[in-house]
Amino acid sequence: MAEGNARAEATLGLTLQALDGHLRRFESIPDLLADNDGVRLVLENPSDPAGRMALDQWLSQKNAQLDALDIYVMTPDGVTIAASNFDRADSFIGQNFSYRPYFQSALAGDTGRFFAIGTTSGVRGYYFASPVKDQAGGISGVIAVKIGLDLIEAEWRLQDAKIIVTDSEGIVFLSSDPTWLYKGLLPLTPDRLDRTLESRRYADVRPTALENTRSSDWGVNTITLPDAGGSRREYVVAGQLLPRADWTVQVLLDTRAVHAQARLSALALMLSLGALAAVVVVILQRRARLAERFALQEQGKAELERRVEARTADLARVNRLIEAEVAERRLTEAELRRTQSDLVQAGKLAALGQMSAALSHEINQPLAAARNYADSAAILIERGDAARAKDNIGQILSLIDRMAVIARHLRHVARKPDAPLKDINLTEAVVEALALVGPRLAGGRITVSLPDDLPLVRGGPVRLQQVLVNLLSNAADAVEGVGGAQIAVSADVVAGRVLLKVQDNGPGVPAAIADRIFDPFFTTKRVGSGLGLGLSISYNIMKDFGGDLRVANAPGGGAVFTVELNIARVRGKATE
């Protein structure tokens, strides 16, 4: 039970970090959007149709860039006058959300936070809201951003443990088991129900009680809940409050595996005791036979007594040899255990070193780019160019998100990542990668040849950009010091796949190391210039995408790295 509780606590820590990180990503967005002059002008003159239409389109564009559910602006009386979903049948325009706690907090001058089911769209989401201030500093309205948590909940369903999140009233609103949603773990008193219904947190869904029994055995907290089939199951439970959102996150670990392990241990103990008893019986039987033999020899003749004495001496020598052999085997077993312990510790240190090296290698590139953007932003602020400085800060935030995704990817290097693949514009990915490694390519000539009708591809945006940055950086290293240095980036569609090629006119890849170039920690660079991890990580990323990464020498000299990607299926944008 203690081991199960430790596993639940570890899973709880990772879950809290992921959930808090997702919320922090959007926390400051409403404040940034509220500082827009277009928002202020529409709130000052809400009857201007041209201004409202321009604001609607601007909110729709920002909503797509942020990958949020909806962004909308409300007047002080709670009426929505502009929204990113202005062109949908379930548009928020004209809807009054003054009853929502996030609106009330923002109107009071604070940052509003609230989780609820949309009363108009029927879609679950977490709301951030900030006040919009006029030129005099007064509050002229409220802007809100709604984000989705369905992807996080979907990732939870892939884990062995169950995960639930309850609000301040003890009602489950996020769960890896859909049958527990909108049910209360605490008694649904009239006060709790009234507060929930007043805020319309769950729209028209009326919460019901979730029958549960809690106990604490051997210092481990457990809870019994019904499963999807109606059967009751016991779980080891570990929970913690998420103060930023006033949520309680709980991780539940099924005790059936714990009980099975306990039964197995008990069975092993019984078998050991049985084996020990058998050994004792054999020893007793042997002693009885020896005693009987000695009794018969006592009755024999003197010659037989002499022979018995000789045989007894032989047996004594054999016993001493057996005892010496047993002692030697015990010493050997003790030495084996110490050696195994040392090997386990060495394996842990090796894994820790590889992971630290990989994390340092992958984060250095976006960290250097972030430093360049920060230096440029400082210069632009001194010049008074706030708009371009704001763009640079946005790029820095994007790079920080990318470093977080890289860290998460390195934690999953031993297994296939669980994050779903997306449809990606390869041209945009190449442009972003060139922006990151631009200073490295300043001394060489680079040409980019990408067709205008290049189809979308399947992959992860940040990890694909990671692969491109690694290939472009390696190309820059290859042509360093080469006269007439050239790097070419091209793409084409072949046999239903997109092939992206990065070619340089450097020394190329010797045939003797071509088969090892994607191995971890294999590098041809001088000591201190590389860890030998970039191509290995890139190769594994492409395999995760269902694609491939190959290397060959160009006919005219230099190396050609070919990235092979699957073409995305044609479909419309999903409505969240």
Side-chain angles (χ1 to χ4, degrees), residues 51 112 155 222 234 260 279 292 298 307 311 314 317 353 368 376 400 413 452-453 457 479 481 515-516 544 553 566:
E155 291 180 356
T222 61
E234 182 187 51
V279 171
E292 182 181 358
E298 289 289 338
R307 293 181 180 181
R311 182 63 181 269
D314 292 339
R317 286 193 298 271
S376 299
I400 292 174
V413 76
D452 295 336
D453 58 348
V457 297
V479 301
D515 295 337
R516 303 172 55 201
D544 289 342
N553 287 320
N566 291 324

Side-chain angles (χ1 to χ4, degrees), residues 365-375 395-396 399-400 403 436:
Q365 293 171 345
L367 192 60
R371 175 59 186 268
N372 290 337
Y373 280 122
D375 292 341
Q395 292 290 345
I396 294 173
L399 289 168
I400 292 174
M403 286 187 280
L436 289 176

Side-chain angles (χ1 to χ4, degrees), residues 160-428:
D160 294 334
K162 303 284 187 181
I163 301 176
I164 58 176
V165 183
T166 58
D167 61 14
S168 57
E169 307 297 344
I171 298 173
V172 179
F173 63 89
L174 287 176
S175 173
S176 58
D177 189 334
T179 60
W180 296 341
L181 287 175
Y182 315 125
K183 295 183 179 180
L185 292 177
L186 300 177
L188 292 177
T189 62
D191 290 340
R192 286 196 175 100
L193 281 175
D194 290 343
R195 286 192 294 268
T196 300
L197 296 176
E198 181 180 358
S199 65
R200 299 192 67 186
R201 182 190 293 270
Y202 303 115
D204 298 329
V205 178
R206 185 179 183 86
T208 58
L210 179 61
E211 184 179 356
N212 65 93
T213 304
R214 291 182 180 268
S215 62
S216 180
D217 298 321
W218 307 289
V220 177
N221 296 323
T222 61
I223 186 172
T224 303
L225 293 171
D227 59 11
S231 302
R232 297 184 63 80
R233 291 188 182 179
E234 182 187 51
Y235 301 90
V236 174
V237 58
Q240 185 173 332
L241 181 68
L242 188 65
R244 183 178 301 275
D246 197 19
W247 298 347
T248 299
V249 181
Q250 301 182 63
V251 174
L252 312 178
L253 186 66
D254 199 330
T255 59
R256 289 183 298 178
V258 176
H259 292 161
Q261 183 179 358
R263 287 193 294 269
L264 182 61
S265 299
L267 179 60
L269 178 60
M270 293 174 63
L271 291 174
S272 299
L273 291 175
L276 180 60
V279 171
V280 172
V281 170
V282 170
I283 293 175
L284 292 176
Q285 289 178 347
R286 182 178 180 182
R287 288 182 177 179
R289 288 195 299 269
L290 289 174
E292 182 181 358
R293 182 180 300 173
F294 291 152
L296 293 173
Q297 290 174 349
E298 289 289 338
Q299 300 173 4
K301 296 180 180 180
E303 183 64 22
L304 293 177
E305 290 180 355
R306 185 185 62 80
R307 293 181 180 181
V308 168
E309 291 177 358
R311 182 63 181 269
T312 302
D314 292 339
L315 290 174
R317 286 193 298 271
V318 171
N319 286 336
R320 286 193 296 271
L321 291 175
I322 292 175
E323 290 174 357
E325 184 178 354
V326 170
E328 183 179 356
R329 289 185 179 181
R330 288 176 178 172
L331 290 175
T332 303
E333 289 177 358
E335 183 65 24
L336 178 59
R337 292 191 186 96
R338 286 194 297 271
T339 303
Q340 289 175 340
S341 177
D342 293 342
L343 288 175
V344 170
Q345 183 65 19
K348 291 180 180 178
L349 293 176
L352 179 60
Q354 291 178 1
M355 186 63 67
S356 300
L359 185 60
S360 173
H361 179 274
E362 292 302 318
I363 287 183
N364 276 340
Q365 293 171 345
L367 192 60
R371 175 59 186 268
N372 290 337
Y373 280 122
D375 292 341
S376 299
I379 296 174
L380 292 172
I381 291 174
E382 291 179 357
R383 295 176 179 176
D385 194 347
R388 292 177 62 190
K390 184 177 179 181
D391 289 341
N392 280 20
I393 294 174
Q395 292 290 345
I396 294 173
L397 291 174
S398 176
L399 289 168
I400 292 174
D401 289 341
R402 179 171 179 263
M403 286 187 280
V405 173
I406 289 173
R408 183 167 67 251
H409 168 65
L410 290 175
R411 289 198 304 269
H412 292 69
V413 76
R415 62 183 178 90
K416 187 174 182 179
D418 297 329
L421 302 182
K422 298 182 178 180
D423 296 349
I424 303 172
N425 188 316
L426 184 57
T427 301
E428 294 179 359

Side-chain angles (χ1 to χ4, degrees), residues 426-427 430 448-451 454 488-494 497-502 563:
L426 184 57
T427 301
V430 172
V448 179
S449 177
L450 301 178
L454 198 63
V489 180
S490 62
D492 199 2
V493 178
V494 178
R497 282 194 164 192
V498 174
L499 302 183
L500 177 72
K501 296 183 179 180
V502 178
V563 176

